[in-house]
Amino acid sequence: MPSAGPTTGRSGSGHLRAVALGGGHGLHATLTALRLITDDVTAVVTVADDGGSSGRLRRELGLLPPGDLRKAMAALAGTDESSQLWTSLFRHRFGGTGALAGHAVGNLVLAGLLEQLGDPVAVLDEACKLLGVRGRVLPMSVQPLQIEADVIGLDEDAAQVRRIRGQVAVATTPGRVQRIRLRGPGGERARGCAQAVDAVLGADVVLLGPGSWFTSVLPHLLVPELREALEATAAKRVVVLNLVPQPGETEGFSPEHHLDVLWQHAPDLKIDAIIADVDSVPVPDRLRRAAAALGAAALLSPIAERGEPERHDPVALAASLRHALGGPGESAGQASSTTLHRSSQHRGGEESWR
């Protein structure tokens, strides 16, 4: 079983070092696609969740919310029998109405390990060994963070700005999110995980998105050390856009608006490629112009699963990523139509992550 652990420096052996930043189902999609390209994948995961099992453990024990971290590990877990058994156990949720109701076993294991070891990075490395993870899972910060958003449309005066706090509140607001901020414990500034920063600096490709734009994708740009690493890295920087706007966060947003909001939060960040599903882009030329304004190429191809327009097809997404990296291989459209059955194998691994 390969052990999880740090890698340093840029690859000199020809294999691809990939880093994916995000959280929840969006990060799961990216990691599943990356596994078809390389075994050297590092997930850098948001740690601002305050809902469900994760939120309960965070409030009761003061720990990092474990749900998104657990989900990333499941996406990168080994395929041997032992790894799959542990992965299935980590996903299992207790039923009933008692104190354990709704908790995922993996969340409790991570919480217990954290109380034993104290170091979140060491905890994740040990848990990754159990699941046979090829690659690494890291938090974007070793402290639990809080998202704070400026929102309009919540009052009779539609232009009135209200400030709301918490990932769940931001993700479900009926208003329109204008901007977000991150706060550490006690209101201090968010601090980046040193190993995550090193991973970004040593990568060959770094991916942002898809996922909840304001609560899973943009928070990485608000951690100063991570944003500086993203600006400084020699890696190719790729943004993967969502397939559909998300109610509560980006309802009514065009693909170009997603990029505009990203630029507002990180105006010095250079992007090399924007990947989008061709059927999700109403005006392709407008997206191409918006991408060009960021210094990026817009790569449009069919990357949604057939019959499930809200899910990325991992095989087609992997083909688009190869295209973004300038590698050989079939087109994303060919991958989607000829090997769709491969992507369906991954759908059973998706679950509620909190």
Side-chain angles (χ1 to χ4, degrees):
M1 179 185 302
S3 61
T7 55
T8 57
R10 294 182 62 76
S11 171
S13 60
H15 74 281
L16 183 75
R17 288 184 174 175
V19 175
L21 300 92
H25 290 299
L27 182 59
H28 188 285
T30 303
L31 296 175
T32 304
L34 283 172
R35 286 191 63 168
L36 302 176
I37 300 174
T38 178
D39 284 337
D40 195 342
V41 180
T42 298
V44 179
V45 185
T46 53
V47 287
D49 194 1
D50 58 0
S53 170
S54 289
R56 289 163 60 190
L57 290 170
R58 174 177 177 165
R59 289 188 295 273
E60 293 171 14
L61 302 176
L63 305 177
L64 284 181
D68 281 4
L69 296 161
R70 171 180 53 80
K71 186 173 179 66
M73 286 191 292
L76 295 176
T79 56
D80 61 280
E81 186 176 351
S82 176
S83 298
Q84 286 298 295
L85 174 61
W86 279 105
T87 303
S88 178
L89 178 64
F90 266 48
R91 289 192 182 113
H92 177 73
R93 287 184 184 273
F94 291 103
T97 58
L100 292 178
H103 277 304
V105 171
N107 288 359
L108 299 176
V109 171
L110 292 176
L113 274 173
L114 191 54
E115 290 200 338
Q116 289 285 311
L117 300 179
D119 177 5
V121 173
V123 165
L124 291 167
D125 285 345
E126 289 298 322
C128 282
K129 292 177 186 178
L130 282 177
L131 275 60
V133 167
R134 301 184 69 89
R136 205 174 190 196
V137 175
L138 296 168
M140 70 177 184
S141 173
V142 296
Q143 301 171 302
L145 302 178
Q146 183 182 66
I147 295 176
E148 187 177 88
D150 292 336
V151 180
I152 61 173
L154 297 177
D155 300 278
E156 289 187 12
D157 179 0
Q160 177 69 35
V161 177
R162 293 267 299 274
R163 183 169 296 177
I164 61 176
R165 295 179 176 86
Q167 181 172 0
V168 171
V170 174
T172 59
T173 179
R176 193 176 181 91
V177 179
Q178 300 293 291
R179 191 171 187 86
I180 62 167
R181 290 172 292 276
L182 281 182
R183 296 283 185 264
E188 64 192 61
R189 78 169 182 87
R191 292 188 176 88
C193 170
Q195 293 87 344
V197 170
D198 289 343
V200 170
L201 291 173
D204 298 305
V205 59
V206 178
L207 278 72
L208 274 169
S212 301
W213 213 242
F214 286 103
T215 55
S216 291
V217 178
L218 296 182
H220 294 278
L221 304 178
L222 302 181
V223 179
E225 295 87 353
L226 268 182
R227 184 182 65 250
E228 290 164 7
L230 286 165
E231 292 169 354
T233 185
K236 283 201 171 183
R237 287 156 287 206
V238 180
V239 171
V240 182
L241 291 178
N242 291 332
L243 298 170
V244 294
Q246 294 181 292
E249 281 201 32
T250 56
E251 190 167 5
F253 278 33
S254 66
E256 306 81 55
H257 194 172
H258 283 76
L259 297 183
D260 185 55
V261 169
L262 187 150
W263 176 83
Q264 290 174 22
H265 286 81
D268 296 324
L269 179 63
K270 179 181 179 296
I271 303 297
D272 296 289
I274 310 291
I275 292 177
D277 178 67
V278 64
D279 295 324
S280 301
V281 180
V283 188
D285 284 344
R286 191 179 298 163
L287 177 61
R288 293 188 182 99
R289 289 194 297 270
L294 297 176
L299 306 179
L300 279 63
S301 59
I303 55 174
E305 288 202 6
R306 288 180 177 178
E308 297 190 62
E310 296 186 10
R311 289 182 185 271
H312 286 84
D313 176 346
V315 176
L317 180 55
S320 285
L321 290 172
R322 289 190 186 97
H323 185 193
L325 295 169
E330 59 190 346
S331 71
Q334 290 171 323
S336 182
S337 61
T338 62
T339 54
L340 184 62
H341 67 280
R342 291 173 58 194
S343 68
S344 66
Q345 297 172 359
H346 300 286
R347 290 202 298 269
E350 296 212 18
E351 43 148 354
S352 173
W353 61 90
R354 285 173 175 162

